[in-house]
């Protein structure tokens, strides 16, 4: 299975910066057959980034979605809009969405099922806060296990195979302090057990950089990376994707 590298550009870049970075990335990806790369720009940049990557090996992803297709939902971007831009992957339940925008497990599950129904692939983000990690790995397993179970509630087995899970300890996101690969390996094995499907793809995220990416990519059961900050830096990105 090819490793999946997902760039979460959050709200870091302007439209023109997104376009410039995409052009550089898609050029350098042409020679890299070992990875599948997904770029998740802001909604504003999706269309232009899509125009550059369509027909290349680089895939288009969205950072969030409103599960309703169309209607009176001020400020939201719906599934039909993403589909019309040929978005293939959608992040759901990112910890910033859960924490800052108060998304519940139930809403995350609704989004995930809507993404699957629309024929796209969801990337379900899960991970524990620092306060849970300090209580030990048994507590972490329980916390993350609940997020996985509720996030995937009602999803058919065949659709679980199309679903990606990203394990991102919240304390590791944007902190410069990633998890230890051996702890992440343990969590990936646990998540795989909870999902009940060996082939489900599970990524690690949280302060991934050129320095630690190799260790995560080589670790057993880690099928790829979800990268925030380092993915908007071309030097970091090149180093990570050409390991
Ligand atoms: P980070 O973000 O790589 O900047 O820690 C990861 C994420 O939020 O997905």
């Amino acid at each position: 299975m090819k490793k999946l590298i997902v760039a979460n550009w959050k709200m870091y870049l302007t439209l023109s910066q997104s376009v410039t970075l995409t052009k550089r990335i898609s050029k350098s990806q042409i020679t890299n057959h070992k990875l599948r790369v997904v770029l998740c720009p802001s909604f504003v940049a999706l269309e232009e980034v899509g125009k550059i990557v369509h027909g290349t090996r680089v895939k288009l992803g969205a950072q969030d979605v409103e599960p309703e297709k169309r209607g009176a939902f001020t400020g939201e971007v719906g599934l039909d809009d993403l589909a019309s831009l040929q978005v293939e992957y959608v992040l759901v339940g990112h910890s910033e969405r859960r924490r800052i925008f108060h998304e519940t497990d139930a809403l995350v599950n609704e989004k995930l099922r809507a993404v699957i129904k629309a024929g796209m692939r969801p990337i379900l983000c899960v991970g524990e806060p620092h306060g849970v990690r300090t209580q030990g790995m048994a507590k972490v397993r329980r916390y993350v296990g609940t997020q996985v179970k509720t996030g995937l509630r009602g999803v058919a087995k065949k659709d679980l195979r199309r679903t990606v899970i990203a394990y991102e300890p919240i304390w590791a996101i944007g902190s410069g302090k990633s998890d230890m690969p051996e702890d992440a390996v343990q969590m990936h094995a646990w998540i795989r057990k909870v999902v009940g499907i060996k082939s489900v793809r599970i990524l690690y995220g949280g302060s991934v950089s050129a320095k630690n990416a190799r260790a995560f990519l080589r670790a057993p059961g880690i099928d790829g990376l979800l990268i925030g900050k380092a993915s908007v830096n071309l030097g970091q990105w090149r180093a990570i994707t050409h390991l």
Side-chain angles (χ1 to χ4, degrees):
M1 185 163 42
K2 279 186 187 175
K3 300 279 181 183
L4 183 66
I5 310 286
V6 182
N8 176 9
W9 287 352
K10 307 192 182 189
M11 209 176 70
Y12 286 133
L13 303 176
T14 63
L15 170 59
S16 70
Q17 287 169 332
S18 304
V19 166
T20 306
L21 186 58
T22 307
K23 283 183 182 156
R24 293 193 173 140
I25 285 174
S26 51
K27 234 183 245 162
S28 64
Q29 284 306 314
I30 286 165
T31 52
N32 194 336
H33 299 253
K34 286 182 291 191
L35 302 173
R36 174 168 301 169
V37 168
V38 180
L39 302 182
C40 303
S42 70
F43 284 134
V44 169
L46 265 180
E47 183 169 7
E48 292 304 317
V49 168
K51 282 182 195 160
I52 302 163
V53 301
H54 292 328
T56 75
R57 253 184 277 279
V58 179
K59 306 292 175 201
L60 189 62
Q63 297 177 16
D64 187 30
V65 70
E66 158 55 49
E68 294 294 335
K69 289 186 167 181
R70 213 155 279 296
F73 299 95
T74 303
E76 292 296 278
V77 175
L79 276 166
D80 276 4
D81 292 318
L82 299 190
S84 74
L85 297 173
Q86 295 167 56
V87 166
E88 287 185 46
Y89 291 82
V90 184
L91 296 176
V92 293
H94 189 280
S95 67
E96 286 150 16
R97 300 289 326 163
R98 294 178 193 256
R99 183 171 49 83
I100 307 169
F101 303 101
H102 313 294
E103 289 194 6
T104 60
D105 280 336
L107 178 59
V108 171
N109 176 251
E110 193 189 335
K111 290 186 176 191
L112 183 131
R113 284 186 291 127
V115 168
I116 290 174
K117 201 165 165 214
M120 293 176 251
R121 291 175 189 266
I123 303 175
L124 170 66
C125 303
V126 296
E128 80 287 358
H130 188 250
V132 173
R133 175 59 77 107
T134 52
Q135 293 172 51
M137 291 308 279
K139 280 264 161 54
V140 175
R141 281 196 291 275
R142 196 171 316 146
Y143 186 95
V144 172
T146 303
Q147 282 184 322
V148 171
K149 268 189 231 151
T150 49
L152 297 178
R153 191 168 281 155
V155 176
K157 223 173 187 174
K158 68 172 190 352
D159 293 324
L160 288 177
R161 294 202 179 86
R162 301 168 36 78
T163 300
V164 180
I165 297 179
Y167 170 59
E168 300 199 292
I170 297 173
W171 49 270
I173 295 176
S175 65
K177 204 173 166 293
S178 73
D179 202 356
M180 306 272 284
E182 48 276 29
D183 286 345
V185 165
Q186 236 195 75
M187 285 307 298
H188 281 225
W190 167 247
I191 291 169
R192 200 159 263 122
K193 204 168 155 196
V194 172
V195 178
I197 298 216
K198 276 212 177 96
S199 61
V200 67
R201 202 192 271 270
I202 309 177
L203 317 178
Y204 169 77
S207 290
V208 171
S209 69
K211 269 200 194 131
N212 57 26
R214 186 191 292 265
F216 285 110
L217 286 175
R218 283 188 171 172
I222 296 187
D223 305 314
L225 304 168
L226 175 55
I227 313 175
K229 194 83 197 180
S231 72
V232 294
N233 176 308
L234 190 63
Q236 284 277 326
W237 180 260
R238 280 213 177 107
I240 294 168
T241 54
H242 288 88
L243 283 172

